[in-house]
Amino acid sequence: MVGSQPDHDARIQDVLSWKRSKHTWRLGSGGVDNKLDRKFIPKSTLEKAFKEPGKVEGLLEALFGNGNGSDPLPDADYIRNRYLRPFVILLCIGQGHMIYHFVEHESLQDRHLPFRAEPEGFPSSTTCDLWASFNEKQWCFCATALEYNMSFHLGKDEILPIIHKERLGEGGSAVTHKIIVHEDYDSLDPPGSCGSVSNNDHHVFVVKTYRTADAKTYYETERNAFKNLKKAGRPPPNIIGFYGSFVRGENFNIILEYADLGSLEDFMRRVQPPSSIEDTILFWDNFFNVTHGLVTIHNTKEGNPKEPQILLG
């Protein structure tokens, strides 16, 4: 019953057309410079296309017929819930019929993706190097989720779900960018919070990238200082939020809260001094909150983050 993939079938053609559509893809970040140069397919896009009623059933019928022979069709719900990404990857490389073998191995389930080495039970094919083809294609279905307190070393094939990147500034040792993380992969906010601490723009953060000869030293100093500032696993009040870090190649990156009102110096230039007693009291009350943050930084054991600034959000 198991044969080659019938690409001429309209249901298979529908999948291949979906794969080619520009609406299926988002541009993410790959490579050591975190450039927006790697396309990926978001989880929500995949699920919307393949979890509609009858979709998987129709594809299985296209691949295997009606299942009236001695071998029954693979169970559509089982594939939909546990093998959806592997199934779609196989379809995209012309090997959809191999799902018949995949469902016999727990090691090939969706939850184990991406496969960083050829997993136990992975099948072979006489028509292609199946593992090489699958491995090359899987990464665009497996963008790396960004998690609060992450400390990742990323491989060359991994795609970050950063869908917007805007340069903010550059210092002697680092460059900063405002980024937007695709909502499917954004778990950066501390548990119990609703979006970024300082603003209402969910999925908006800052990446600070160290890239000089001393990049690793500066990165580790600042990362460790931010970690020591946390209270009960969360950033303390009046301190810019630290969400995690990652290393790719020789680039060292920390993910920070986006302070959308700029520095204190920017604020003082832009805003008129308080003119009423109430405004004056409010100004000094908020200013003393800033000093509390500075005291917290001063009292950390690991040393202060390099080039500290007062930022407003």
Side-chain angles (χ1 to χ4, degrees):
M1 183 178 71
V2 178
S4 61
Q5 178 169 300
D7 286 346
H8 63 277
D9 188 284
R11 291 162 291 192
I12 303 296
Q13 280 296 309
D14 186 53
V15 173
L16 300 179
S17 296
W18 170 84
K19 183 188 73 169
R20 292 195 305 269
S21 172
K22 65 179 181 180
H23 302 295
T24 299
W25 300 85
R26 294 300 300 265
L27 200 58
S29 174
V32 295
D33 293 326
N34 297 324
K35 293 180 180 178
L36 300 187
D37 58 1
R38 294 282 303 279
K39 294 193 297 183
F40 70 98
I41 299 176
K43 289 185 294 185
S44 56
T45 301
L46 178 76
E47 291 175 356
K48 181 179 179 181
F50 289 91
K51 286 198 171 183
E52 61 184 47
K55 183 72 171 185
V56 173
E57 287 84 349
L59 290 167
L60 291 174
E61 185 177 321
L63 291 167
F64 304 117
N66 57 21
N68 289 331
S70 59
D71 296 323
L73 288 176
D75 184 77
D77 282 334
Y78 194 58
I79 292 173
R80 198 164 17 241
N81 295 326
R82 301 191 182 187
Y83 292 89
L84 185 59
R85 282 189 296 172
F87 184 37
V88 177
I89 294 169
L90 289 170
L91 289 166
C92 289
I93 62 175
Q95 299 290 319
H97 53 284
M98 284 294 184
I99 193 62
Y100 203 90
H101 182 93
F102 267 59
V103 296
E104 296 178 346
H105 297 271
E106 187 278 337
S107 59
L108 304 180
Q109 287 187 0
D110 195 302
R111 65 192 182 94
H112 297 302
L113 288 174
F115 302 143
R116 300 184 185 278
E118 184 173 345
E120 182 180 355
F122 198 89
S124 299
S125 172
T126 59
T127 61
C128 69
D129 184 337
L130 185 58
W131 165 244
S133 298
F134 188 98
N135 183 43
E136 180 181 3
K137 180 62 67 175
Q138 70 170 331
W139 297 101
C140 65
F141 290 88
C142 301
T144 301
L146 304 186
E147 304 169 354
Y148 184 64
N149 268 340
M150 62 183 277
S151 183
F152 295 163
H153 284 257
L154 301 178
K156 63 181 179 64
D157 295 316
E158 294 184 68
I159 301 172
L160 290 175
I162 296 172
I163 57 176
H164 174 81
K165 186 177 178 183
E166 176 185 336
R167 191 184 186 96
L168 295 177
E170 182 174 1
S173 61
V175 59
T176 56
H177 289 88
K178 173 185 174 182
I179 63 169
I180 298 176
V181 178
H182 192 284
E183 60 184 344
D184 288 358
Y185 305 92
D186 179 9
S187 298
L188 284 169
D189 286 319
S193 67
C194 297
S196 300
V197 174
S198 68
N199 61 76
N200 294 322
D201 293 328
H202 292 197
H203 321 303
V204 179
F205 303 92
V206 166
V207 166
K208 186 173 184 179
T209 302
Y210 290 99
R211 55 183 189 169
T212 64
D214 296 319
K216 184 177 181 181
T217 300
Y218 291 145
Y219 160 80
E220 290 179 345
T221 298
E222 184 154 8
R223 181 197 61 183
N224 293 341
F226 273 115
K227 285 184 175 182
N228 286 331
L229 287 169
K230 289 182 180 178
K231 295 180 179 179
R234 295 171 60 87
N238 314 309
I239 300 293
I240 202 76
F242 168 77
Y243 295 100
S245 61
F246 63 93
V247 177
R248 196 201 293 265
E250 296 301 316
N251 277 7
F252 299 82
N253 308 268
I254 60 174
I255 304 174
L256 301 171
E257 178 184 350
Y258 174 50
D260 54 346
L261 297 182
S263 68
L264 179 61
E265 183 179 1
D266 296 332
F267 177 83
M268 299 294 282
R269 287 201 191 108
R270 186 175 63 248
V271 178
Q272 292 294 321
S275 57
S276 67
I277 294 176
E278 292 81 4
D279 287 344
T280 301
I281 293 173
L282 180 62
F283 171 83
W284 284 108
D285 186 49
N286 288 327
F287 188 80
F288 283 130
N289 285 337
V290 173
T291 64
H292 295 157
L294 293 174
V295 169
T296 303
I297 293 173
H298 180 74
N299 289 335
T300 57
K301 294 180 180 180
E302 283 287 335
N304 301 334
K306 193 175 186 297
E307 301 171 356
Q309 286 185 304
I310 298 175
L311 302 174
L312 304 177

